[in-house]
Amino acid sequence: MMKFTKILIALVVFCASFNTVFAQRSDTAYVKTIQERSWKIVQQLNVTDQAKALKVRDIIANQYMDLNDVYIYRDAQKKQMETSGLDKAQKQAKLDALTKDVDSKISKLHNTYIKNLSKNLSDEQVVGVKDGMTYSVVPKTFRAYQDMLPMLTQAQKDQIYVWLVEAREHAMDAESSDKKHAWFGKYKGRINNYLSAAGIDLKKEGDAWQERIKAGKK
């Protein structure tokens, strides 16, 4: 009887999660918002073929919605754990398994998404989509580091760029603006530690950079 009850509870939670996703996908306002967000990204890519532009818009919009589906599923599973009656160790084990499952789903979506974009866009345009999904943090931050630290070697610039690009790959799959920026924050910390280890006083250089900016405005 206990086993049957647990199965029933799991089924109810799954159905509730499915219904939430379906309702959101069926919400014309939600779909319209996602399509508009995706279209703004496409408009920055200089895609001259209108049919291709609309196709790319739909690829981007579907990625946003597919990611959202995964996060809704994750949240429903977490909610179920809270009322499951499991002890702390059991909950942690289930949470670890859920995290692994979600990461796997996100990774598959990411890889398929990039392949679909690459079939319709140039490499440069694919990068444009990635920047569009992450508020152009990579080019803005890379430019800021170079402006602040004109003494950077080419090797240091290359390493900074590699880490920012890696951060972007994670950030473009994140579920919110805050979490996208959190990924960049994590990698900026790595970059700053790298530069500090190279003997660069970031506070001193940052203050000097702000003074240069102020002088330029004057």
Side-chain angles (χ1 to χ4, degrees), residues 21 24-26 30-39 41-42 53-71 105-106 108-110 112-114 116-117 120 129 133 172-173:
V21 172
Q24 200 162 28
R25 281 282 178 106
S26 301
Y30 167 73
V31 174
K32 183 180 179 183
T33 298
I34 295 301
Q35 287 183 329
E36 288 176 349
R37 183 189 305 172
S38 302
W39 184 241
I41 294 173
V42 175
L54 291 172
K55 183 177 181 180
V56 172
R57 180 205 63 182
D58 290 343
I59 290 172
I60 298 170
N62 284 332
Q63 176 69 356
Y64 274 122
M65 290 188 283
D66 287 343
L67 288 170
N68 191 50
D69 290 351
V70 173
Y71 290 125
K105 285 181 169 65
I106 295 297
K108 289 177 182 177
L109 282 176
H110 183 97
T112 301
Y113 177 54
I114 299 303
N116 289 336
L117 288 176
N120 295 277
V129 173
M133 295 180 74
M172 61 188 287
D173 297 329

Side-chain angles (χ1 to χ4, degrees), residues 65-145:
M65 290 188 283
D66 287 343
L67 288 170
N68 191 50
D69 290 351
V70 173
Y71 290 125
I72 289 175
Y73 160 78
R74 178 205 61 192
D75 292 344
Q77 292 297 306
K78 285 185 175 181
K79 187 174 182 180
Q80 180 190 6
M81 289 180 202
E82 294 174 1
T83 57
S84 62
L86 299 174
D87 61 33
K88 185 176 180 180
Q90 290 172 322
K91 284 183 180 179
Q92 188 59 52
K94 287 183 72 66
L95 182 59
D96 291 342
L98 176 62
T99 299
K100 185 177 180 180
D101 180 40
V102 168
D103 288 346
S104 176
K105 285 181 169 65
I106 295 297
S107 179
K108 289 177 182 177
L109 282 176
H110 183 97
N111 293 334
T112 301
Y113 177 54
I114 299 303
K115 288 179 182 178
N116 289 336
L117 288 176
S118 298
K119 290 177 183 177
N120 295 277
L121 300 172
S122 67
D123 291 345
E124 184 179 355
Q125 288 172 324
V126 172
V127 170
V129 173
K130 293 179 179 182
D131 283 334
M133 295 180 74
T134 54
Y135 319 113
S136 295
V137 171
V138 170
K140 290 176 181 177
T141 305
F142 188 52
R143 185 164 55 248
Y145 271 114

Side-chain angles (χ1 to χ4, degrees), residues 142 146 149-162 194-195:
F142 188 52
Q146 293 179 89
L149 306 170
M151 79 292 292
L152 288 173
T153 65
Q154 189 58 49
Q156 289 170 331
K157 292 178 185 178
D158 291 344
Q159 182 60 76
I160 290 170
Y161 189 72
V162 165
Y194 165 72
L195 295 174

